Amino acid sequence: QVQLVESGGGLVQAGGSLRLSCAASGRTFSNYVMGWFRQAPEKEREFVAALSWNGRQTYIADSVKGRFTISRDNAKNTVYLQMNSLKPEDTDVYYCAASRFVLLPSRYTYDYNYWGQGTQVTVSS
């Protein structure tokens, strides 16, 4: 069992930066592929970024490529999402997710079996 807790969301002006953190419980964090997704009200959850257990393989959505970076610190049981050059369309609730089902970073929500509660990111124009 893994529990995920996101933090770092907030209100930022367009062009600004935020760093989201996702702290995981449990001693097997390093076994999990980790991902970030986002969701607006009445919309489907959208893939943002994912990375492998050792952080060497990443998968970034085209919509945020070049602006967002995903990383992890297995010693701290934490995964990060660094978001730069934020745009109003990045406004969403951001969710952290963990997967024991896949070995490589995945963009599909059904590959993830643990989810955090989400953190709100609001980008003003």
Side-chain angles (χ1 to χ4, degrees):
Q1 188 77 9
V2 173
Q3 291 186 329
L4 304 173
V5 179
E6 301 97 334
S7 61
L11 174 64
V12 64
Q13 288 189 333
S17 298
L18 282 175
R19 188 176 81 157
L20 304 183
S21 299
C22 173
S25 65
R27 293 177 290 178
T28 59
F29 173 76
S30 61
N31 291 343
Y32 290 79
V33 164
M34 299 297 297
W36 286 97
F37 292 76
R38 63 188 184 185
Q39 188 171 22
E42 301 183 351
K43 289 190 176 182
E44 291 188 358
R45 196 161 290 189
E46 176 190 15
F47 170 74
V48 177
L51 81 170
S52 59
W53 68 273
N54 57 7
R56 294 178 182 173
Q57 292 170 297
T58 60
Y59 186 8
I60 310 293
D62 288 343
S63 58
V64 303
K65 195 170 292 183
R67 300 188 298 120
F68 290 12
T69 303
I70 187 171
S71 62
R72 68 191 296 164
D73 185 339
N74 286 342
K76 295 182 178 180
N77 279 13
T78 302
V79 63
Y80 304 98
L81 184 68
Q82 178 66 44
M83 305 186 296
N84 300 328
S85 302
L86 282 161
K87 304 175 181 179
E89 51 263 43
D90 294 318
T91 295
D92 270 323
V93 177
Y94 284 70
Y95 295 91
C96 173
S99 173
R100 284 295 303 272
F101 297 144
V102 296
L103 298 178
L104 297 175
S106 170
R107 66 178 297 118
Y108 301 109
T109 57
Y110 54 72
D111 280 335
Y112 294 84
N113 46 327
Y114 298 108
W115 293 85
Q117 82 290 347
T119 185
Q120 176 70 48
V121 172
T122 302
V123 184
S124 63
S125 57

